[in-house]
Amino acid sequence: METKTMNIKIEKAKTSKIDKVDFDNLAFGNVFTDHMLVCDYKNGSWNIPEIIPYQPISLDPSAKIFHYGQSIFEGMKAYKDENNDIWLFRPLDNCKRLNISAKRMAIPEIPEDYFMEGLTALLKLEKDWIPQTPGSSLYIRPFIFASGTGFHASPADEYKFIIAFAPSGAYFSGKVKVLIEEKYSRSANGGVGYAKAGGNYAGQFYPTQLALEKGYNQVIWTDDNTHEFIEEAGAMNIFVRINDTLVTAPTSDRILDGITRKSILKIAKDEGIAVEERKITVSEIVEAAKNGSLKEMFGAGTAAVISPISAFGFRDVDYDLPEIGDNYASLLKKRITDIQYNRAEDKFGWRVKV
């Protein structure tokens, strides 16, 4: 059965997998919906997107994604409120950041209307897949990769843009213990750290694996030059509370401009919390842990929203963070998720109804 919606051709799946899904016990990113959006870049322009049944992709062995790593992605979520209305959170920011990543990786930018209209059409088709179990949401993965062929080390001439959905539960359960990394770097000045390029994450896996073997859950990355300054926590931006001031590292060409990060900064200021965007030294964190002024640390990102850090390790010493009742992590997470799930006023204009 084929229909036309917003000039996007829709080929519906013959059968649905939805009845086989336990929506009360969802892992993160392991279950996928019935359909996906696909859009090809050929002959110098993007074709009109299509929605097709979720399925494997066939690529030539010489496709440049396999050889030169032209691959970028975004992470978003869709939410359903008590009235079964569907909401997105700052989707145009995701589209903008995807194109910032595209430009850095010499990938043609996707038109905003292709992104938004394609996403909206796919959400309307898959609306029953949006979970309403507390803490769950529909994770959205837009991505672009080089499908053009050839072994020559140059940008591809063909690309594929896909949006796929995964109904998901919490990314992390409970608090995490992190290791401050002094040998390996996530990114470097002049590099691609600010882009959501697939290779950035591949490069993190090995150092993170070493940290896991030592009993930690994640790595805190430090600057590539001196390893004196903390920058990100795993695949998330990092926040530190010293006394009653919330501190986070400024964005740069090494640090991703996180949408959750920006939202936290705005909400914290709205709550009257003192906020500083500045470089944070490892020695400052260690000293604050020793003298008791380090109250909280947490990671922030789309998948986990806010992930509290219970302890950090540095040079074979672990430092536990205190359990405090009036913690910023819980307050800020509630403020953000209440906006996302349409449970509270959105004074910032971030929520978009589908």
Side-chain angles (χ1 to χ4, degrees):
M1 177 181 179
E2 293 188 0
T3 59
K4 289 253 185 182
T5 303
M6 302 164 65
N7 295 321
I8 296 173
K9 186 172 73 171
I10 299 176
E11 179 190 348
K12 291 188 176 180
K14 294 179 180 178
T15 59
S16 176
K17 304 169 289 188
I18 196 167
D19 292 337
K20 300 177 182 178
V21 178
D22 182 359
F23 282 90
D24 292 325
N25 294 284
L26 289 169
F28 186 88
N30 288 341
V31 176
F32 307 100
T33 65
D34 292 324
H35 301 87
M36 63 185 188
L37 180 132
V38 178
C39 183
D40 289 310
Y41 180 91
K42 294 182 178 181
N43 301 317
S45 64
W46 288 101
N47 295 338
I48 298 297
E50 297 183 0
I51 292 174
I52 62 174
Y54 186 91
Q55 60 191 266
I57 302 166
S58 178
L59 291 172
D60 192 283
S62 69
K64 291 198 173 185
I65 175 59
F66 299 134
H67 308 280
Y68 304 113
Q70 279 183 287
S71 173
I72 57 174
F73 69 95
E74 274 297 316
M76 309 169 61
K77 288 179 179 178
Y79 313 86
K80 191 179 283 186
D81 65 17
E82 293 179 351
N83 297 318
N84 285 322
D85 290 326
I86 302 168
W87 301 91
L88 292 167
F89 183 73
R90 307 185 72 167
L92 291 177
D93 287 312
N94 289 101
C95 182
K96 179 181 178 181
R97 191 171 63 182
L98 184 69
N99 282 329
I100 288 172
S101 299
K103 186 174 182 178
R104 180 62 181 86
M105 300 301 290
I107 293 172
E109 297 178 29
I110 192 79
E112 183 181 291
D113 57 342
Y114 281 37
F115 183 97
M116 289 303 301
E117 291 185 24
L119 174 58
T120 299
L122 188 58
L123 279 170
K124 289 180 177 178
L125 182 64
E126 305 286 62
K127 61 183 184 297
D128 292 339
W129 283 87
I130 304 174
Q132 290 181 283
T133 305
S136 298
S137 57
L138 185 71
Y139 186 76
I140 300 169
R141 173 53 60 85
F143 59 104
I144 306 175
F145 63 89
S147 55
T149 59
F151 292 147
H152 187 271
S154 59
D157 58 0
E158 295 183 1
Y159 298 85
K160 194 176 287 286
F161 169 58
I162 294 176
I163 301 178
F165 294 163
S168 297
Y171 190 77
F172 288 118
S173 57
K175 295 188 176 183
V176 297
K177 183 179 177 183
V178 297
L179 176 66
I180 295 178
E181 178 60 53
E182 288 193 280
K183 178 179 179 181
Y184 298 99
S185 297
R186 176 188 174 274
S187 59
N189 288 327
V192 296
Y194 67 92
K196 282 188 75 72
N200 287 347
Y201 297 79
Q204 294 182 37
F205 293 158
Y206 177 65
T208 303
Q209 183 180 343
L210 296 178
L212 289 169
E213 291 171 358
K214 295 178 181 178
Y216 299 92
N217 305 105
Q218 266 295 356
V219 166
I220 288 185
W221 302 104
T222 52
D223 69 288
D224 64 300
N225 187 24
T226 65
H227 294 287
E228 293 179 8
F229 302 96
I230 66 169
E231 298 204 323
E232 292 196 343
M236 298 183 288
N237 295 117
I238 187 166
F239 285 81
V240 175
R241 176 183 174 182
I242 298 177
N243 290 318
D244 290 330
T245 300
L246 192 63
V247 188
T248 192
T251 56
S252 67
D253 56 7
R254 299 188 310 276
I255 297 177
L256 187 71
D257 186 12
I259 293 166
T260 305
R261 174 191 179 276
K262 290 190 289 189
S263 305
I264 288 172
L265 290 172
K266 193 82 171 179
I267 290 173
K269 292 174 184 176
D270 187 62
E271 288 284 347
I273 296 170
V275 173
E276 294 179 0
E277 291 182 75
R278 62 170 175 82
K279 291 184 175 182
I280 313 165
T281 63
V282 176
S283 59
E284 179 183 5
I285 298 299
V286 171
E287 181 57 32
K290 289 179 178 178
N291 65 30
S293 61
L294 180 63
K295 305 299 184 184
E296 292 180 73
M297 294 174 68
F298 55 84
T302 297
V305 185
I306 289 177
S307 183
I309 293 170
S310 61
F312 71 89
F314 179 66
R315 295 182 178 174
D316 299 321
V317 179
D318 286 344
Y319 299 88
D320 293 321
L321 275 82
E323 292 274 356
I324 55 176
D326 58 340
N327 63 82
Y328 291 168
S330 297
L331 169 66
L332 295 167
K333 184 173 183 177
K334 186 177 189 305
R335 281 288 307 269
I336 290 175
T337 55
D338 280 352
I339 292 172
Q340 291 171 336
Y341 287 92
N342 193 30
R343 295 190 294 249
E345 176 192 3
D346 175 19
K347 63 172 67 176
F348 309 107
W350 292 335
R351 193 167 54 217
V352 176
K353 190 174 183 179
V354 175

